[in-house]
Amino acid sequence: MNGTTPQAGRTPVRPGTRAVPGAGATKGTATMTEPGAPRRAVHEGAGPAVAPGTVPRPGERPTVRLRESGPQEPPRYAPEWLELREPADATARALDLLDPLRIRLANLPGRADGIVVHDLGCGTGSMGRWLAPRLDGAQHWILHDRDPYLLHFAAVGSPRAAADGSRVTVETRRGDVARLTPDALSGASLVTASALLDVLTREEVGTLAAACVGAGSPALLTLTVAGRVRLTPADPLDAEITDAFNAHQRRTGLLGPDAVTVAREAFTDRGATVRLHPSPWRLGPEDAALTAQWLRGWVAAAVEQRPDLARRADRYLQDRLAACAAGELSVVVDHTDLLALVRPTGHTA
């Protein structure tokens, strides 16, 4: 996810869509308009496409259900936003978690045949671009996402070689990552995800942990929002916007900034060893485009949660955008990376 591959810089715009960021550091499509313009809705980030507990259709395996999608359903993630944030994500991810992961992968049964990596909610495939070149040995990546458009670009932009030059291959699976079971992850050597946990519910995180543990697969789950933002220079409204945004993240039962705590408990309760490491975005003048888009989404979500903030937030946003354009604003958006090391099962990868 380092943004240096040729494909990473050329994600085309889907006809009829605009480059809009997620609220905060997640992958949604929230925006805040300029003063006096109609305020656009803040869309969800990545909630379940099918309600948990839904009975499978006849003949359907209880693994990953393809979502019911119609022509009127808007895309859940904007590929332009995923492209814009990719370099910041790559810089933020916790390299310190890779050594214990490499040790575990090296000791997996069947490692001589290569590893199988399931990337959940893969978006445009930036996790694979970041991680695959940092791991040795042959790799087969299975990319999961509910959006076929994103899956196409994830496959096209995937890396072709591991750190030692071994071959990297990919396949795509369209479906709802909130309904994984161990069967879906059969043969997995590793499960990865990026900016996903905070847009799941407690039940869905439990389902994910159970699937990984049941499959004997470690999980590297990166860039979960931590609920802390620091802007320099400070403004009296920073704290109110932050609190309102965090409340918005928790809407309709989503975990938001509580996600890492819940995920750690879910994996630990199932016998996994969990390691956490900070992975903050540190945005300075060189990141002005990303910072400006993040600001719009962050403030929009806060105002949707607390409409009484609207007038003050409009002025706040314009001041912040002006400082950003002038190279006078820096932002730290805290995230946490989680590595869950589970007991391996008999692998047939």
Side-chain angles (χ1 to χ4, degrees):
M1 206 164 189
N2 54 22
T4 59
T5 58
Q7 297 89 340
R10 294 185 173 86
T11 305
V13 178
R14 185 202 299 259
T17 65
R18 294 177 55 195
V20 286
T26 59
K27 298 185 288 189
T29 56
T31 61
M32 178 107 175
T33 60
E34 304 301 322
R39 198 178 306 278
R40 297 178 63 190
V42 178
H43 301 292
E44 291 186 9
V50 181
T54 302
V55 177
R57 293 187 292 265
E60 179 183 57
R61 295 175 66 201
T63 56
V64 182
R65 168 173 293 181
L66 298 184
R67 67 184 168 115
E68 303 290 350
S69 60
Q72 302 305 315
E73 183 179 5
R76 185 161 285 188
Y77 306 142
E80 305 79 30
W81 168 245
L82 301 182
E83 176 191 353
L84 186 62
R85 63 173 288 170
E86 185 167 340
D89 287 349
T91 300
R93 286 196 185 89
L95 294 173
D96 288 353
L97 295 180
L98 292 187
D99 280 345
L101 174 62
R102 291 185 184 107
I103 292 170
R104 175 56 59 92
L105 292 177
N107 292 323
L108 284 178
R111 173 59 197 259
D113 298 327
I115 62 172
V116 175
V117 183
H118 287 253
D119 186 12
L120 308 181
C122 68
T124 57
S126 54
M127 184 66 168
R129 287 189 288 273
W130 180 82
L131 183 58
R134 288 174 166 83
L135 299 177
D136 287 334
Q139 302 168 40
H140 181 67
W141 282 68
I142 301 175
L143 309 177
H144 299 259
D145 205 282
R146 56 176 290 177
D147 189 330
Y149 181 78
L150 296 182
L151 284 173
H152 168 75
F153 290 104
V156 169
S158 64
R160 297 294 183 255
D164 60 357
S166 298
R167 188 181 181 194
V168 175
T169 57
V170 300
E171 67 176 274
T172 62
R173 293 184 186 176
R174 184 184 176 205
D176 180 2
V177 301
R179 304 192 69 235
L180 284 173
T181 69
D183 187 38
L185 300 178
S186 177
S189 310
L190 173 64
V191 171
T192 69
S194 188
L196 176 66
L197 289 178
D198 45 89
V199 288
L200 298 179
T201 66
R202 181 179 293 270
E203 182 179 359
E204 290 159 0
V205 168
T207 297
L208 172 59
C212 293
V213 172
S217 174
L220 179 62
L221 308 172
T222 68
L223 297 170
T224 300
V225 294
R228 298 180 300 274
V229 175
R230 298 181 296 283
L231 297 93
T232 304
D235 184 280
L237 201 55
D238 291 347
E240 280 192 82
I241 297 292
T242 299
D243 289 345
F245 172 77
N246 288 342
H248 186 272
Q249 287 277 282
R250 296 182 175 104
R251 69 203 183 281
T252 63
L254 303 184
L255 290 172
D258 305 319
V260 165
T261 298
V262 171
R264 177 175 58 187
E265 293 171 354
F267 277 100
T268 301
D269 289 348
R270 291 168 173 83
T273 299
V274 176
R275 302 189 184 202
L276 304 179
H277 201 283
S279 53
W281 275 359
R282 301 185 186 277
L283 308 180
E286 67 279 7
D287 306 300
L290 174 61
T291 302
Q293 290 289 67
W294 171 82
L295 276 167
R296 293 185 178 97
W298 185 61
V299 175
V303 170
E304 184 176 88
Q305 183 68 26
R306 280 190 53 191
D308 61 292
L309 287 174
R311 180 171 296 181
R312 288 184 293 154
D314 278 340
R315 181 70 265 165
Y316 172 90
L317 178 61
Q318 297 316 306
D319 290 345
R320 286 306 198 186
L321 290 174
C324 178
E328 298 170 352
L329 180 68
S330 62
V331 181
V332 177
V333 182
D334 282 341
H335 306 92
T336 304
D337 287 3
L338 180 151
L339 174 64
L341 300 174
V342 309
R343 180 172 300 179
T345 60
H347 261 57
T348 59

